[in-house]
Amino acid sequence: MEWTDEGIVLGVRRHGESSAIVELLTRSHGRHLGLVRGGAGSRMRPLLQPGNTVSAVWRARLDEHLGYYAVEGTRLRAATMFGSPHAVYGVTHMASLVRLLPERDPHEDIYEMLEAILNDFDDAGMAGVQLVKFELAMLTELGFGLDLSSCAASGAVNDLIYVSPKSGAAVSRQAGEPWRDRLLRLPPFLRESDDGTNGWSGQDIEDGFRLTGLFLLRNVLEPRGQGHSDARDGFIAAVIRPRVRAVAE
């Protein structure tokens, strides 16, 4: 068995004296593990950092075996990204989300989205917006997508500013007014009619994470006996804190 694919490094753990088991999210073969000979050595260590993109050749005698990876770096972004606290937390959190997907099950849209986010992860505010959208995409991929296209109560497609915590459907300003204290706020950057030209605030990003966090926890994590990762909390704090400080100044 052999295939060649692009992959984003999600995690690495040492195996024996010098080898490492590497977990990749590949474009066409999904989340896939493989053994890299010499992967724990000083030459390979900078290459096998979470967030890097590599070209990987996987070989095994049988398809169900762990197999071996031969990898070459194509986008070694980890060294520059990890100078920012939000990037360290963000990569760790996104890797934990990807691990919710079945192993060896292709999810090319998620791969493309993760690659795009990592390629433009410098700005903390933009990273926050993109990670909220990534969580939303993961909910859809796992079968728990939210319907933010029209109002659940009236069918209206404009002025959607709330989300029902029960149904996960959008609610318009007019229809939601009597129950606004019970509804979640839909941040502007998640509204289909918003082109993002007005920017976003720290509160918008917090609202976005509150929205996706509720449905991730209730529908995905708690049934598996899990909770939100510490990395998620660290990322949110690292993204929100600078924006709050900038507003105060």
Side-chain angles (χ1 to χ4, degrees):
M1 303 296 298
E2 179 177 326
W3 50 255
T4 301
D5 204 350
E6 293 179 308
I8 299 168
V9 180
L10 300 177
V12 181
R13 65 177 185 269
R14 193 181 186 101
H15 184 79
E17 292 187 5
S18 60
S19 297
I21 295 175
V22 178
E23 182 182 26
L24 301 178
L25 176 64
T26 63
R27 182 187 297 276
S28 302
H29 297 84
R31 185 171 60 86
H32 207 291
L33 299 172
L35 185 71
V36 176
R37 293 189 177 97
S42 58
R43 185 180 70 85
M44 294 295 293
R45 198 177 301 122
L47 172 65
L48 301 176
Q49 293 295 313
N52 283 343
T53 299
V54 300
S55 174
V57 179
W58 181 82
R59 297 184 180 93
R61 189 168 64 84
L62 296 174
D63 184 60
E64 60 266 25
H65 287 178
L66 173 65
Y68 293 88
Y69 274 138
V71 297
E72 294 183 1
T74 58
R75 183 94 187 208
L76 306 184
R77 56 176 78 83
T80 54
M81 280 198 315
F82 285 1
S84 303
H86 77 269
V88 176
Y89 287 123
V91 170
T92 302
H93 173 50
M94 286 188 288
S96 72
L97 290 174
V98 171
R99 291 188 183 102
L100 297 170
L101 299 171
E103 192 176 347
R104 303 190 179 192
D105 189 18
H107 295 271
E108 190 165 344
D109 289 345
I110 292 296
Y111 177 89
E112 296 283 359
M113 190 173 189
L114 179 59
E115 178 87 351
I117 292 172
L118 293 173
N119 284 340
D120 189 21
F121 214 51
D122 294 336
D123 180 79
M126 177 60 77
V129 168
Q130 293 304 320
L131 218 160
V132 170
K133 292 181 177 180
F134 187 74
E135 291 192 344
L136 198 63
M138 284 295 303
L139 280 166
T140 299
E141 203 75 9
L142 292 165
F144 301 100
L146 308 186
D147 182 4
L148 306 180
S149 60
S150 62
C151 176
S154 66
V157 296
N158 295 318
D159 207 19
L160 305 177
I161 66 167
Y162 301 115
V163 175
S164 166
K166 292 184 178 180
S167 67
V171 180
S172 69
R173 186 188 307 272
Q174 182 176 359
E177 183 62 25
W179 299 279
R180 61 181 180 180
D181 293 338
R182 302 180 187 178
L183 299 173
L184 297 165
R185 182 173 176 267
L186 179 62
F189 63 80
L190 291 182
R191 301 173 196 166
E192 293 187 0
S193 61
D194 190 276
D195 60 7
T197 56
N198 294 323
W200 51 82
S201 66
Q203 186 62 54
D204 292 333
I205 296 174
E206 281 193 81
D207 290 337
F209 278 114
R210 186 175 297 110
L211 172 65
T212 54
L214 172 69
F215 292 100
L216 275 171
L217 192 63
R218 188 176 70 196
N219 296 336
V220 180
L221 296 174
E222 287 183 344
R224 299 173 185 229
Q226 301 176 24
H228 287 304
S229 67
D230 292 339
R232 184 182 193 267
D233 295 335
F235 176 83
I236 295 172
V239 167
I240 299 299
R241 194 180 301 118
R243 299 185 75 81
V244 172
R245 185 163 53 244
V247 170
E249 293 173 354

